[in-house]
Amino acid sequence: DYGVEMNRDKSKVNFKVQVSGGVKQLDGRELAWCGLILDTHTLEVSMDYDRYRHQHLRNALTVTFSGSPGERLRTKAVSSIKSK
């Protein structure tokens, strides 16, 4: 009716439902979404670090060496957490 479609490959539910064409059921209680982990029971939100597994930290960070590198790193770390 509204011209909206759901991408079944990117959708999961945490309850029993029957939908034409099927929909994936959530495994366990945690849902990964946009770099976050959402606990569907407690509604807790935490960072999803799985994408960094098996990688060196040096591949995940960009550090500026001008000015005060330590202060810049702290600012970037805090802002990345605040934005989530």
Side-chain angles (χ1 to χ4, degrees):
D1 292 358
Y2 298 100
V4 177
E5 292 184 20
M6 178 183 83
N7 185 339
R8 286 177 178 26
D9 294 332
K10 294 183 177 182
S11 302
K12 292 184 179 181
V13 295
N14 64 340
F15 52 88
K16 298 218 183 278
V17 64
Q18 289 185 342
V19 178
S20 171
V23 65
K24 295 178 187 175
Q25 183 97 19
L26 185 65
D27 298 328
R29 57 191 271 178
E30 293 182 339
L31 173 68
W33 178 73
C34 293
L36 300 172
I37 297 290
L38 308 173
D39 187 314
T40 59
H41 292 191
T42 65
L43 302 182
E44 248 177 30
V45 179
S46 58
M47 300 283 289
D48 182 6
Y49 294 108
D50 272 353
R51 61 185 166 173
Y52 299 117
R53 185 175 291 174
H54 307 299
Q55 289 188 20
H56 290 285
L57 183 59
R58 67 177 173 248
N59 296 333
L61 293 175
T62 303
V63 179
T64 305
F65 290 102
S66 62
S68 174
E71 180 61 28
R72 186 85 172 118
L73 178 60
R74 185 189 72 80
T75 302
K76 287 178 77 170
V78 169
S79 67
S80 74
I81 292 171
K82 281 184 179 179
S83 69
K84 301 277 183 193

